[in-house]
Amino acid sequence: MTDEGIDYALEGRSGLRPYSGLKAVRIQLFSPAPHLSALIQLDFIKGWPLIVHSSTLDGQIAEGRGRTFVAFVTDLHRRLSPQDRARIVFRRGFSPVRHLVITIGAVVIAVPAFGLLLLALVGQVPIGQAIWPGIPGALLAAGFLNLAFWSRPGRYDPERLPDGLWPRS
């Protein structure tokens, strides 16, 4: 980062994206347990967004990369002028539509899984037949619900960064 903007080099392209062209910032968590992977998406008036991940491109967690990510996000917000902060939309979590899809997916997985376990508890289904599909389904649903909770959409104040969305690596 420079005082004028973000200097980047990606896939054979490079350039300087000025802060004055920044229209929105989104910080979101991808892996909430135990806060492994996050990203910041920088949307500009012109051109493609820039996305910075706290993990490597293949999803691996690199030692110290989480701290570097937090330093990048903090430095970006520190460099924004008061005029930029007033103009830019600061979002947290997934988009509302993506959040709704994840929440519905969690419910779709949870209802049969917990229903099967409930049927086993009341004696309608043998316990052995209910545990094998019920427990993994319940765990998968719990993971989706956890992701939906930590990545709920909203806005944040650029003066107080949403540290609940930081990776812990």
Side-chain angles (χ1 to χ4, degrees), residues 60-75:
Q60 298 298 313
I61 307 304
E63 183 64 34
R65 189 161 174 145
R67 288 185 299 277
T68 304
F69 176 81
V70 171
F72 172 81
V73 172
T74 303
D75 190 31

Side-chain angles (χ1 to χ4, degrees), residues 82-99:
Q83 296 81 12
D84 290 334
R85 289 175 185 234
R87 177 182 43 77
I88 297 169
V89 178
F90 295 94
R91 297 182 179 113
R92 56 160 278 128
F94 288 133
S95 70
V97 172
R98 185 173 289 167
H99 186 261

Side-chain angles (χ1 to χ4, degrees), residues 23-55:
K23 69 178 181 178
V25 174
R26 177 182 303 278
I27 300 173
Q28 67 187 52
L29 198 61
F30 273 134
S31 179
H35 299 290
L36 294 177
S37 183
L39 72 77
I40 184 170
Q41 178 176 324
L42 308 172
D43 294 322
F44 292 87
I45 295 167
K46 292 182 182 178
W48 292 93
L50 289 177
I51 300 173
V52 177
H53 291 263
S54 68
S55 58

Side-chain angles (χ1 to χ4, degrees), residues 1-7 16-19 79:
M1 278 191 277
T2 69
D3 288 337
E4 294 80 36
I6 300 168
D7 192 10
L16 178 69
R17 305 292 293 271
Y19 301 123
R79 290 176 182 265

